[in-house]
Amino acid sequence: MTGNRNAHPESGSIEVICGAMFSGKTEELIRRLKRARIARLHITLFKPRVDTRYHSEDIVSHDQSRIEARPVAHSSEVLEQVGTTDVVDIDVVGIDVVGIDEAQFFDEGIVDVARKLSARGIRVVVAGLDMDYLGVPFGPMPALMAVAEQVTKLHPVCMECGGPASHSFRIVPDDNQLMLGEKESYEPRCRACFNRGMQNP
Ligand SMILES: [Zn+2]
């Protein structure tokens, strides 16, 4: 075998980084990928094409740290681009770590993609919102959390009471789930302050 040293099936794993808006998910994803890069592992990063907030090619967190990312329209494109279809062997491509940002916006197929990548010995690091603005589990995130070895829930500060926040409270009227996370549109809130806000908008 040639190529990357970590591409053994037993080394594959799935990590999920989740939490409310402003919990630092993307910063944590970037931190883990940069550490892997320092360890001379080959990394690649994907994001759904829907997210064009700041830049079309880089993932840019709210604190402006950045790393290049490939926008894809469908989960199947991740497998195609990493080369883990049956046609191309992973050892030829040599990817060790695959990052996926804003995973809540992917189709349900992203769960199977993560499992297939990890079965090929790849470390998969997924970041995404665990709940939408109604407090409902968001897209494929619950299933990704279920199949992951490690789940990290991050908690920003509740803007009402200063406690640890778990929910993203929308402070502008809009019922589109896809509305993206501009700072002026949401604020992190704990469960109690979120519920109070939903009852008295
Ligand atoms: Zn609160």
Side-chain angles (χ1 to χ4, degrees), residues 66-101:
R66 64 176 61 215
I67 198 164
E68 66 282 5
R70 306 190 210 185
V72 290
H74 191 269
S75 62
S76 60
E77 286 181 45
V78 174
L79 280 184
E80 286 162 16
Q81 294 204 25
V82 176
T84 53
T85 58
D86 291 336
V87 181
V88 183
D89 191 271
I90 182 62
D91 287 324
V92 176
V93 181
I95 295 295
D96 304 293
V97 184
V98 170
I100 298 169
D101 199 22

Side-chain angles (χ1 to χ4, degrees), residues 48-60:
R49 199 175 290 284
V50 64
D51 187 358
T52 54
R53 258 184 288 188
Y54 298 109
H55 193 280
S56 61
E57 297 302 326
D58 288 358
I59 282 183
V60 182

Side-chain angles (χ1 to χ4, degrees), residues 158-165 188-194 196:
C158 174
M159 296 309 287
E160 289 287 294
C161 72
R189 290 194 180 187
C190 71
R191 184 184 301 278
C193 294
F194 174 84
R196 200 176 311 119

Side-chain angles (χ1 to χ4, degrees), residues 5 7 15 36 39-40 44 54 61 76 88 93 108 121 126 139 150 177-178 200:
R5 54 195 147 118
E15 299 160 37
R40 299 204 186 118
T44 188
Y54 298 109
S61 64
S76 60
V88 183
V93 181
E108 290 288 335
V126 178
Q150 187 196 96
Q177 192 188 40
L178 286 184
N200 305 297

Side-chain angles (χ1 to χ4, degrees), residues 106-123:
F106 271 101
D107 54 283
E108 290 288 335
I110 198 69
V111 183
D112 205 40
V113 167
R115 296 175 69 200
K116 281 179 175 159
L117 292 174
S118 60
R120 298 292 187 98
I122 292 174
R123 176 185 170 202

